[in-house]
Amino acid sequence: MMQFMLLFSRQGKLRLQKWYVAHPDKLKKKITRELITTVLARKPKMCSFLEWKDVKVVYKRYASLYFCCAMEQEDNELLTLELIHRYVELLDKYFGSVCELDIIFNFEKAYFILDELVLGGELQETSKKNVLKAIAAQDLLQEDETVDAALREVGLL
Amino acid sequence: MNGSESGFNPAFNIATIKQVVNEAIERVRMPTPTRLRDLIRQIRAARTAAEERSVVNKECAYIRSTFREEDSVWRCRNIAKLLYIHMLGYPAHFGQLECLKLIASPRFTDKRVGYLGAMLLLDERQDVHLLITNCLKNDLNSNTQFVVGLALCTLGAIASPEMARDLASEVERLIKSPNAYIKKKAALCAFRIIRRVPDLMEMFLPATRSLLTEKNHGVLITGVTLITEMCENSPDTLNHFKKIVPNLVRILKNLILAGYSPEHDVSGVSDPFLQVKILRLLRILGKNDAEASEAMNDILAQVATNTETSKNVGNTILYETVLSIMDIKSESSLRVLAINILGRFLLNNDKNIRYVALNTLLRTVYVDTSAVQRHRTTILECLKDPDVSIRRRAMELSFALVNSSNMVAMMRELLQFLERSEAEFKTACSSAIVLAAERHAPTDKCHLDTLFQVFLKAGNYLRDDTVSSTIQLISAASAERQAYAAMRLWTALERAAVNADATDKQPLVQVAAWTIGEYGDLLVSEASNAISMVDDEGVDDFTRPSEEYVIDIYQKLLWNTQLSITSKEYLLLSLAKLSTRFTTQPSQDKIRGIIDTFGSHIHIELQQRGVELSQLYRNYAHLRPALLERMPPMEAPASAAEESPAASPHHEPAAASPEQDALLDLIIGSDSLTNGDVEHKPAPTNNNTTNDILDLLSGLELNMSPPLSATSLVNNNAPAPTLVGDLLTDTAPQKPTLTVSALEANGVSVTLGVHKLTADCVQLTMRAAYCGHAALSDFLFQCAVPRTFQLDMMSPSGTVLAPQTEITQVLKITNPSRSPLRLRIRVSYNMDGAPVLEQAEVNNFPADLFN
């Protein structure tokens, strides 16, 4: 099971954090800070796995962004890399060649996509199509509401 | 807006108009809040941290003020901004209740942001949980699948035990929903609920099994995840699910045989995520179960041979397959296949693959050492990898592979590794080398040489007890070895003194001081010429020192302000001893002069020692030669490793140090010499040693043993064997209580020495002896126990069984059910190049073994 996932930039700025274990805010901040420093200090040619405290950290850099997952000991490290890659593919499809700025300005969308891929720290959907379909349908629901509200505002509804 | 019930109405009624006007006025009075996008821009434009803080504080103040208004239209936007601010590390807890208000709103947009906020801002320890539980309950009953989805997702992320209890029945109902989108989310929610509250598992059992009959991969993978959790949760459930093995095999088969399906394809592999989850569940179901293992043998072989390995995803599946093959009772050919896959992994260019290979080999090395041995060179190569993760794994694996036949070559590599490794590795690595040398060194010279190398290379990172155990070893060695040790250590000590790096090698200084003190006469005598000092590289760097030169070096070290007090104590005592070893008058005078200066040393302990020792030159001069005589050979403190060639490598001999300190007390024949942090009672008699052992033991396991008396301990070897045995886990200095003959064929006899450790745990020592003419190679002893037993096998002492020798291997069997012990054993070896396999069942253990 995944314990948490962090996205951060090469400068060490946090871009997304998803926790599947309950920690007090203070501890979360401490873990985040320490892990970001440790991962950024690793050289590019090193392997993507890091035994860190009692978790196994699997990380990968895509352009300027690090995707970093803390897994439990018995989890398959290589599969976690695939999971990260799947998430990146989904972001890419959704935003259309995604870049760090997309994730900064639309962080809530990045969360929504992750929540359709992973639930409670475990993968819930292995089809990219299904994830994107669910996201599109929910986006549409939101849009309908906006149009609805606008119409009401001018009294057309 | 209240005008909605009127629907489209061209004739505006008065109330509607009034409301629109009111809202417009409201909006003018209260300006539209900054948009999320603009806030992010503002924050990003901030040049300094202070500037950023001021933007954030201003916005937070504004957001707080809007929260005070009951019915804000901008709540959703404000929470989104707050979430961004929260990610930057600013406090945002004041938004928690607002999130709940959003969740309670009928609009989907509000709910979506509200639940996102709840997942980010709340965690399990919040009091608002009662409120959110009610919201979740409502939404779990919603007609919109996405609203149910949001609720399930939130429950999966932040379920506290109370929430889990309150909502478990809702989740159970949703698992049975016909809608796959809801079904899969509910299954993972159930997984989280069981994780939090294992008692709740029962209620999910009926709904779970049908998940595997679905076509939808999302439902399948979540179903497998849920079942895996249940199986790990209780052995009963594990048995309950044994019958799904054929279903799982079928799903897996369909996955690998089915043609290309674009929806689930990842670089040519069909749904690797699902495959891996199924393989893992198979592993759990097949563990210790011959029947289930049999049912999955074929499919595992198929996956292992058919998976495309050019990409990471193929290797992912192979990796999981290898783990499963090694964990279940698989056929031997399959195991060979698995080890070969790992061998290929080791040679892979991708570091990640190499890492998992090392990791997996480490898990299998105790099951099948000989197979892993084949990859030794590659593993040693990994010691040079620039990546810490890989080096750490390679080091652990290398130590697991050391045995008496490869010890010399392995040690050379590991010593090099020790020398260039970072500080974090040095302690663990040096301890492991010391242990491996103790256990596997073919000759005592080799053992000593290895230890000396460790002293040089590990420096101060060496564990303290190595000093005392090395001293014991030297004192028990032959006279020629003692002279050799003195000469080697002299060379090292001299070099350290001259290069002024003795402070980084204090353990070396201590051992060298002790040894030279004891055997200094051998060092400076002509007789030393007869001993070959040529080392492995063919270099002889020993030059026989003069007595005065030795004393000069001692003086240099003793006056070094950086050297620890303990090291100086060793040196001072050693110098006093040298006064009876060295014969010439000038050196005698010099020693006396140095000792006298310590009479006014600033450190009380050294000062006292200086005064005492200088008395030996004055009033008590007649006592000096007798007091400073050579120590009698010390007995190994509960000789850990010699007796247990198979002790686990993680285990360190713990008993050595205090006894050695006691021995040090004996050397000086006086009271209270502090050594390190151990204080001893003044009792300068022969019983001192035993008293210390008694102290040592009494702190540990006295409740296990009959009352100990000091007299019963005088003879070091005889007493309290269980005590020492327990203390050192694997060793049993005592003879086994009985020996059972297990197998007798082709001149090979296998016996099992039984030694009871606790009420439900016995240790068996397998001894294989051979009385034929030519050695047997690839000797492998395997053993199986009924399912109610637990078997722990240590690695064997070797794999080559020469005539008139023995291979030993220690097995530990735990029997919680205390049923009669039965074993099935299998012995395989190569005799004259032909493989031989013998099997036998051993059931002639005494019936009351576990009573």
Side-chain angles (χ1 to χ4, degrees):
Chain A
M1 190 191 109
M2 192 191 294
Q3 304 222 328
F4 58 86
M5 184 182 204
L6 302 176
L7 263 64
F8 51 87
S9 70
R10 281 173 77 184
Q11 287 75 39
K13 289 244 190 232
L14 189 63
R15 296 299 180 212
L16 190 131
Q17 53 172 339
K18 186 80 194 176
W19 296 80
Y20 297 105
V21 284
H23 289 313
D25 231 24
K26 221 172 164 181
L27 182 61
K28 283 186 194 170
K29 271 189 197 160
K30 185 164 168 273
I31 293 176
T32 310
R33 206 173 44 237
E34 287 179 15
L35 192 58
I36 290 180
T37 326
T38 320
V39 170
L40 286 178
R42 283 175 62 87
K43 301 204 174 59
K45 288 238 171 116
M46 292 184 170
C47 75
S48 302
F49 315 128
L50 190 65
E51 278 151 54
W52 192 74
K53 310 211 164 151
D54 56 340
V55 296
K56 200 147 50 181
V57 174
V58 179
Y59 69 91
K60 187 157 169 128
R61 205 185 101 185
Y62 287 86
S64 59
L65 218 49
Y66 281 87
F67 290 71
C68 180
C69 296
M71 310 300 290
E72 285 168 356
Q73 290 304 331
E74 60 272 22
D75 286 313
N76 186 322
E77 302 92 334
L78 297 176
L79 191 73
T80 309
L81 281 178
E82 288 298 323
L83 176 79
I84 292 176
H85 188 71
R86 170 59 57 95
Y87 183 43
V88 174
E89 282 179 325
L90 288 168
L91 291 172
D92 205 56
K93 273 251 168 65
Y94 183 82
F95 289 107
S97 87
V98 66
C99 69
E100 196 187 334
L101 280 179
D102 289 322
I103 294 174
I104 296 172
F105 281 102
N106 302 288
F107 68 92
E108 79 282 10
K109 301 283 188 203
Y111 278 117
F112 294 151
I113 296 173
L114 184 60
D115 283 341
E116 285 296 331
L117 181 67
V118 175
L119 195 155
E122 287 284 352
L123 189 73
Q124 58 165 312
E125 181 56 65
T126 64
S127 149
K128 273 183 269 187
K129 205 181 77 191
N130 282 354
V131 174
L132 291 170
K133 226 164 62 186
I135 294 289
Q138 292 176 70
D139 285 352
L140 196 67
L141 217 58
Q142 274 188 275
E143 265 169 50
D144 285 350
E145 278 178 356
T146 324
V147 172
D148 206 49
L151 285 178
R152 273 164 213 271
E153 201 160 298
V154 292
L156 288 172
L157 209 63
Chain B
M1 272 185 238
N2 295 331
S4 59
E5 71 272 21
S6 57
F8 176 66
N9 185 357
F12 290 96
N13 62 38
I14 267 308
T16 322
I17 296 168
K18 213 173 182 179
Q19 185 159 5
V20 170
V21 170
N22 276 345
E23 275 178 16
I25 292 170
E26 180 82 3
R27 234 171 288 152
V28 172
R29 214 179 40 172
M30 180 89 183
T32 320
T34 338
R35 292 192 308 159
L36 170 63
R37 188 165 277 268
D38 297 329
L39 173 70
I40 296 176
R41 278 212 190 91
Q42 272 180 40
I43 291 175
R44 284 172 60 79
R47 300 230 169 128
T48 61
E51 209 176 308
E52 180 188 290
R53 214 159 33 237
S54 94
V55 174
V56 168
N57 285 343
K58 213 171 114 199
E59 191 62 34
C60 278
Y62 171 76
I63 293 174
R64 269 174 199 271
S65 75
T66 62
F67 284 170
R68 263 178 242 122
E69 313 210 349
E70 256 319 292
D71 192 30
S72 170
V73 273
W74 306 113
R75 189 180 282 137
C76 182
R77 178 181 290 184
N78 286 331
I79 285 291
K81 285 190 286 188
L82 193 62
L83 293 181
Y84 185 79
I85 289 168
H86 175 248
M87 184 146 58
L88 296 176
Y90 295 93
H93 50 272
F94 57 87
Q96 285 169 356
L97 273 176
E98 298 302 306
C99 287
L100 293 183
K101 286 184 194 160
L102 280 179
I103 293 171
S105 148
R107 288 176 69 220
F108 182 72
T109 312
D110 286 349
K111 277 193 192 297
R112 214 179 179 192
V113 173
Y115 275 122
L116 177 63
M119 283 188 272
L120 287 170
L121 299 181
L122 313 185
D123 57 32
E124 283 183 21
R125 54 208 80 221
Q126 304 291 348
D127 326 327
V128 279
H129 270 197
L130 198 63
L131 295 171
I132 200 172
T133 306
N134 285 328
C135 295
L136 285 170
K137 200 163 203 156
N138 281 335
D139 284 344
L140 289 175
N141 286 304
S142 164
N143 292 325
T144 318
Q145 61 166 347
F146 295 116
V147 172
V148 183
L150 283 176
L152 285 170
C153 184
T154 308
L155 181 60
I158 60 169
S160 64
E162 298 77 46
M163 274 165 84
R165 281 206 181 81
D166 290 344
L167 297 171
S169 57
E170 303 287 334
V171 173
E172 196 267 346
R173 178 177 58 77
L174 291 172
I175 293 183
K176 291 185 282 198
S177 148
N179 181 338
Y181 180 82
I182 290 176
K183 214 179 178 69
K184 67 182 185 193
K185 284 179 193 271
L188 281 186
C189 249
F191 155 78
R192 281 306 298 252
I193 288 174
I194 295 173
R195 249 275 156 130
R196 298 302 309 177
V197 192
D199 304 347
L200 291 172
M201 183 176 71
E202 290 285 317
M203 64 184 292
F204 292 107
L205 277 174
T208 302
R209 213 178 144 200
S210 61
L211 291 174
L212 292 186
T213 57
E214 293 277 331
K215 286 272 175 294
N216 182 301
H217 284 210
V219 177
L220 280 177
I221 193 170
T222 52
V224 173
T225 306
L226 178 58
I227 294 174
T228 307
E229 178 65 25
M230 289 173 159
C231 289
E232 283 179 335
N233 206 342
S234 96
D236 286 344
T237 330
L238 181 66
N239 281 329
H240 170 79
F241 279 115
K242 293 259 178 185
K243 55 179 180 286
I244 65 163
V245 170
N247 303 34
L248 292 170
V249 168
R250 196 161 48 243
I251 299 171
L252 196 53
K253 196 170 240 157
N254 285 340
L255 277 178
I256 55 172
L257 292 181
Y260 174 75
S261 97
E263 200 175 338
H264 299 110
D265 181 85
V266 180
S267 353
V269 176
S270 180
D271 208 337
F273 299 101
L274 183 54
Q275 287 199 38
V276 167
K277 284 276 180 228
I278 293 176
L279 285 167
R280 180 165 168 202
L281 180 52
L282 286 178
R283 165 156 90 246
I284 293 166
L285 294 172
K287 194 166 188 173
N288 298 325
D289 183 335
E291 198 186 330
S293 300
E294 177 65 37
M296 55 186 85
N297 258 327
D298 282 352
I299 189 74
L300 290 177
Q302 227 165 339
V303 177
T305 44
N306 287 355
T307 306
E308 165 70 38
T309 60
S310 56
K311 297 263 170 51
N312 177 61
V313 39
N315 289 323
T316 306
I317 291 172
L318 277 186
Y319 169 40
E320 199 69 33
T321 313
V322 169
L323 287 177
S324 295
I325 290 175
M326 296 318 255
D327 255 21
I328 66 163
K329 293 186 172 304
S330 50
E331 288 165 3
S332 59
S333 61
L334 207 52
R335 282 175 180 264
V336 173
L337 185 66
I339 295 278
N340 286 343
I341 291 176
L342 291 178
R344 280 210 309 278
F345 275 14
L346 269 183
L347 297 170
N348 201 304
N349 279 332
D350 187 341
K351 278 201 190 331
N352 295 335
I353 310 279
R354 285 220 295 280
Y355 171 85
V356 296
L358 289 170
N359 219 351
T360 318
L361 285 172
L362 192 62
R363 284 170 68 167
T364 55
V365 70
Y366 298 107
V367 188
D368 196 351
T369 322
S370 51
V372 183
Q373 286 286 5
R374 268 185 278 143
H375 305 295
R376 202 173 62 225
T377 357
T378 327
I379 295 165
L380 287 174
E381 225 22 63
C382 293
L383 284 174
K384 302 190 180 107
D385 202 286
D387 191 338
V388 209
S389 302
I390 290 185
R391 276 207 308 274
R392 177 169 293 129
R393 284 283 155 265
M395 180 183 95
E396 286 170 19
L397 192 52
S398 300
F399 281 116
L401 291 178
V402 177
N403 60 31
S404 40
S405 58
N406 62 20
M407 188 261 176
V408 179
M410 293 286 281
M411 279 304 139
R412 197 176 308 126
E413 294 287 338
L414 286 164
L415 282 166
Q416 274 175 25
F417 172 74
L418 173 65
E419 192 169 19
R420 56 171 190 260
S421 61
E422 296 91 334
E424 55 175 317
F425 284 107
K426 285 203 168 165
T427 305
C429 183
S430 55
S431 307
I433 292 181
V434 169
L435 209 69
E438 197 170 340
R439 217 179 293 148
H440 300 297
T443 62
D444 57 343
K445 176 167 182 291
C446 174
H447 187 177
L448 284 175
D449 278 340
T450 311
L451 285 176
F452 297 158
Q453 289 292 315
V454 175
F455 275 107
L456 276 174
K457 287 172 175 158
N460 291 345
Y461 293 102
L462 205 59
R463 278 171 46 133
D464 292 346
D465 58 354
T466 317
V467 172
S468 44
S469 62
T470 309
I471 288 178
Q472 182 275 321
L473 197 72
I474 296 171
S475 101
S478 68
E480 193 193 340
R481 284 280 170 271
Q482 288 169 340
Y484 172 78
M487 289 154 73
R488 268 270 175 265
L489 287 166
W490 160 253
T491 317
L493 185 70
E494 188 226 350
R495 208 165 288 165
V498 171
N499 297 341
D501 58 356
T503 41
D504 301 328
K505 295 172 183 161
Q506 310 244 15
L508 171 75
V509 173
Q510 293 165 13
V511 172
W514 187 89
T515 312
I516 296 168
E518 291 296 314
Y519 314 110
D521 46 341
L522 304 175
L523 175 69
V524 294
S525 80
E526 298 278 344
S528 69
N529 292 341
I531 297 168
S532 160
M533 293 299 288
V534 180
D535 60 17
D536 293 345
E537 279 117 50
V539 184
D540 180 357
D541 53 0
F542 176 73
T543 36
R544 188 150 53 86
S546 68
E547 291 182 0
E548 280 91 74
Y549 186 53
V550 174
I551 297 163
D552 283 344
I553 292 292
Y554 265 68
Q555 186 174 24
K556 190 168 173 164
L557 288 168
L558 278 168
W559 289 351
N560 180 339
T561 47
Q562 309 288 314
L563 217 55
S564 76
I565 295 300
T566 312
S567 299
K568 285 190 182 174
E569 283 167 357
Y570 272 93
L571 283 164
L572 188 59
L573 206 54
S574 167
L575 191 64
K577 286 216 156 194
L578 282 179
S579 74
T580 64
R581 310 282 190 272
F582 289 175
T583 44
T584 62
Q585 197 51 48
S587 51
Q588 290 291 340
D589 294 342
K590 228 169 170 174
I591 291 174
R592 189 174 170 172
I594 297 173
I595 288 175
D596 281 346
T597 59
F598 275 87
S600 56
H601 195 273
I602 190 161
H603 190 268
I604 182 99
E605 191 58 45
L606 282 171
Q607 187 187 70
Q608 189 180 352
R609 221 51 63 205
V611 170
E612 283 167 2
L613 291 173
S614 55
Q615 284 303 311
L616 291 179
Y617 277 94
R618 298 191 176 88
N619 301 347
Y620 300 96
H622 57 286
L623 285 176
R624 188 157 57 96
L627 268 177
L628 299 176
E629 244 180 24
R630 194 173 286 173
M631 289 280 297
M634 301 173 207
E635 282 179 41
S639 58
E642 289 106 275
E643 293 215 16
S644 70
S648 102
H650 305 294
H651 150 75
E652 317 282 350
S657 156
E659 193 202 11
Q660 287 301 334
D661 292 331
L663 288 168
L664 212 58
D665 272 2
L666 285 180
I667 301 174
I668 194 152
S670 118
D671 53 355
S672 104
L673 176 89
T674 358
N675 189 353
D677 47 9
V678 187
E679 285 275 359
H680 290 287
K681 286 171 224 118
T685 65
N686 263 335
N687 279 334
N688 203 350
T689 321
T690 39
N691 284 343
D692 272 284
I693 294 178
L694 198 63
D695 282 350
L696 179 68
L697 295 176
S698 62
L700 288 159
E701 287 275 346
L702 265 187
N703 52 340
M704 291 287 301
S705 70
L708 290 167
S709 69
T711 45
S712 79
L713 269 168
V714 171
N715 179 352
N716 252 345
N717 280 336
T722 30
L723 265 181
V724 180
D726 282 345
L727 187 65
L728 297 154
T729 321
D730 296 313
T731 61
Q734 155 213 50
K735 288 207 178 65
T737 40
L738 83 154
T739 304
V740 176
S741 166
L743 181 74
E744 197 89 49
N746 300 335
V748 177
S749 71
V750 176
T751 59
L752 296 167
V754 185
H755 167 49
K756 194 160 170 177
L757 293 177
T758 60
D760 59 356
C761 180
V762 290
Q763 175 177 297
L764 300 181
T765 312
M766 187 282 296
R767 288 180 193 280
Y770 178 51
C771 58
H773 50 95
L776 306 175
S777 61
D778 295 337
F779 185 91
L780 180 64
F781 172 80
Q782 289 167 305
C783 174
V785 289
R787 208 175 305 155
T788 51
F789 292 75
Q790 282 165 18
L791 172 66
D792 253 344
M793 286 180 86
M794 310 301 159
S795 55
S797 60
T799 57
V800 176
L801 187 54
Q804 318 307 334
T805 62
E806 275 190 346
I807 288 182
T808 57
Q809 185 165 12
V810 175
L811 295 76
K812 225 185 262 169
I813 295 179
T814 317
N815 178 12
S817 65
R818 309 220 171 156
S819 45
L821 176 58
R822 283 182 302 128
L823 295 180
R824 183 160 296 158
I825 63 164
R826 179 148 75 172
V827 174
S828 62
Y829 48 84
N830 271 327
M831 188 184 248
D832 303 327
V836 180
L837 186 81
E838 301 284 351
Q839 292 201 39
E841 179 149 338
V842 189
N843 46 18
N844 48 345
F845 292 101
D848 58 348
L849 188 58
F850 284 108
N851 285 323

